[in-house]
Amino acid sequence: MDTSVLVLNQNYEPLNITNVRRAVVLLCMGKAEVVKDDTGYIRSIEQSFRIPSVVRLVYFVKRPVPELKLSRKSVLARDDYTCQYCGEKGSNLTLDHIIPRDRGGKTEWENLACCCLKCNNKKANRTPQEARMQLCRPPRKPKYVPYISFPKFVAATRNDDFHEFLSPYVKSLEHR
Ligand SMILES: [Zn+2]
């Protein structure tokens, strides 16, 4: 029952990732309809439901589009938890200021990259040019519209059922 369910606004804009229980409540209350489901059934005393994987609200929710906040988690998600210098994936990752902070490098999307500890030590207080290290791709602020938190969103794009609904919204993940 802890499967994720993607909640779409009436206009199919991604709104939220929730769990099956909460999605079923929306369906029971007539607030949402199933767009996609997996094969299972949930039995309740009176009814049985298909287990939804994507639901759509039957009414339009108007919410201000939140600003995408810069955070460690969001940068790691943008870079797919992969060192942008050597391509290593894993848990021993940190954030690299591409132009070091004490050399005037800012804490912004364009100056931060996911980096493994090894590369971080090797690069030390140098620019990539000085350290002769090259970034796999230019670091950009993701072009991102939905209301879901960015790391959650990136994880959700890997769900086959969600992919078609989410992929139009992230331009910077197109290289995948
Ligand atoms: Zn590395």
Side-chain angles (χ1 to χ4, degrees):
M1 289 293 272
D2 58 357
T3 320
S4 299
V5 178
L6 174 64
V7 182
L8 301 174
N9 208 342
Q10 192 195 26
N11 64 352
Y12 290 90
E13 200 173 54
L15 264 189
N16 193 13
I17 311 266
T18 188
N19 58 36
V20 171
R21 186 180 301 274
R22 294 176 81 170
V24 166
V25 170
L26 289 174
L27 296 171
C28 285
M29 292 170 76
K31 289 185 170 177
E33 61 183 25
V34 177
V35 175
K36 262 193 167 183
D37 61 68
D38 59 17
T39 50
Y41 280 84
I42 301 169
R43 290 233 161 251
S44 69
I45 292 166
E46 280 140 36
Q47 296 160 290
S48 63
F49 289 96
R50 294 173 299 171
I51 293 179
S53 61
V54 181
V55 301
R56 173 180 163 241
L57 297 180
V58 296
Y59 54 93
F60 184 70
V61 174
K62 219 173 172 181
R63 282 205 284 176
V65 178
E67 174 75 12
L68 173 57
K69 282 200 195 107
L70 178 65
S71 72
R72 178 188 149 81
K73 273 188 178 173
S74 291
V75 174
L76 294 182
R78 179 198 67 186
D79 293 344
D80 200 20
Y81 308 93
T82 305
C83 174
Q84 295 300 290
Y85 295 104
C86 73
E88 179 155 313
K89 282 179 177 266
S91 51
N92 263 343
L93 295 166
T94 183
L95 287 190
D96 174 52
H97 277 80
I98 299 165
I99 308 289
R101 255 180 298 190
D102 58 9
R103 312 262 304 262
K106 293 194 176 124
T107 301
E108 56 189 17
W109 287 101
E110 294 80 4
N111 194 46
L112 289 170
C114 177
C115 184
C116 74
L117 294 178
K118 212 171 125 194
C119 290
N120 200 240
N121 284 332
K122 187 178 156 200
K123 181 170 175 278
N125 202 30
R126 296 181 292 178
T127 65
Q129 289 85 344
E130 289 166 355
R132 292 172 187 272
M133 292 166 76
Q134 212 180 353
L135 287 162
C136 305
R137 64 192 170 113
R140 297 208 176 98
K141 182 175 179 179
K143 290 207 172 53
Y144 168 79
V145 191
Y147 305 90
I148 304 160
S149 88
F150 186 67
K152 230 176 167 179
F153 180 89
V154 170
T157 58
R158 300 207 185 92
N159 182 320
D160 289 341
D161 284 340
F162 299 173
H163 188 80
E164 65 183 288
F165 301 100
L166 299 179
S167 58
Y169 290 92
V170 171
K171 298 282 181 282
S172 64
L173 300 178
E174 275 169 3
H175 63 286
R176 282 184 196 160

